[in-house]
Amino acid sequence: MTKFHAVVWIDHQHADIVQFDADESATTSVKAHSHPTAQHGSGVRTEHEYFGQVCDALEGVAEVLVTGGKTTLADLRHYAEKHRPATAGRIVGWQVVDHPSPRQLLALAREFFLKHDRMAGVPTPT
């Protein structure tokens, strides 16, 4: 199911992606997989694979709010801007938050997009 809005809560091991509209929502989870090797840079490669999977899960979503810890947000932002500019262009907000419950995350996103759409001149759905 592809919706117009999505919110992501992410850390370096797990991401919850909630696509939603006014009436319903659907959640997808992405987990990081570690590939321990003695080869230099395996941690970076693993992180890039994980962030790539998160970006793939956002395909088709018009506007995205990304939430999570400060370091993870900075790392994802750097990855998206460098390797996935189309996805980076659809991310309209970055917010540092603790790990909210699914209901809190959806409420935060609905409030964010209501303000964001009003500032962009998009009429509020009734």
Side-chain angles (χ1 to χ4, degrees):
M1 161 174 73
T2 300
K3 302 288 185 189
F4 189 75
H5 290 128
V7 60
V8 178
W9 182 88
I10 189 167
D11 65 16
H12 279 97
Q13 290 81 34
H14 180 84
D16 288 324
I17 301 157
V18 182
Q19 295 183 34
F20 64 95
D21 60 17
D23 301 320
E24 57 186 32
S25 65
T27 303
T28 306
S29 293
V30 177
K31 293 188 186 286
H33 300 284
S34 81
H35 305 288
T37 65
Q39 189 173 5
H40 175 72
S42 65
V44 172
R45 191 170 48 253
T46 300
E47 184 175 84
H48 281 206
E49 289 174 8
Y50 170 56
F51 288 155
Q53 290 172 345
V54 171
C55 290
D56 290 344
L58 297 172
E59 201 61 40
V61 179
E63 294 181 337
V64 180
L65 168 64
V66 181
T67 65
K70 183 178 178 181
T71 303
T72 307
L73 293 184
D75 292 345
L76 177 61
R77 180 181 241 165
H78 176 76
Y79 172 83
E81 289 173 351
K82 185 173 182 180
H83 300 285
R84 301 286 186 102
T87 301
R90 293 192 317 270
I91 298 174
V92 296
W94 302 85
Q95 287 190 6
V96 175
V97 298
D98 264 344
H99 196 307
S101 72
R103 296 180 92 188
Q104 290 172 323
L105 184 62
L106 187 57
L108 173 81
R110 289 187 194 280
E111 182 180 329
F112 173 85
F113 282 113
L114 183 63
K115 291 177 185 175
H116 177 268
D117 290 347
R118 283 184 182 161
M119 289 176 62
V122 176
T124 304
T126 56

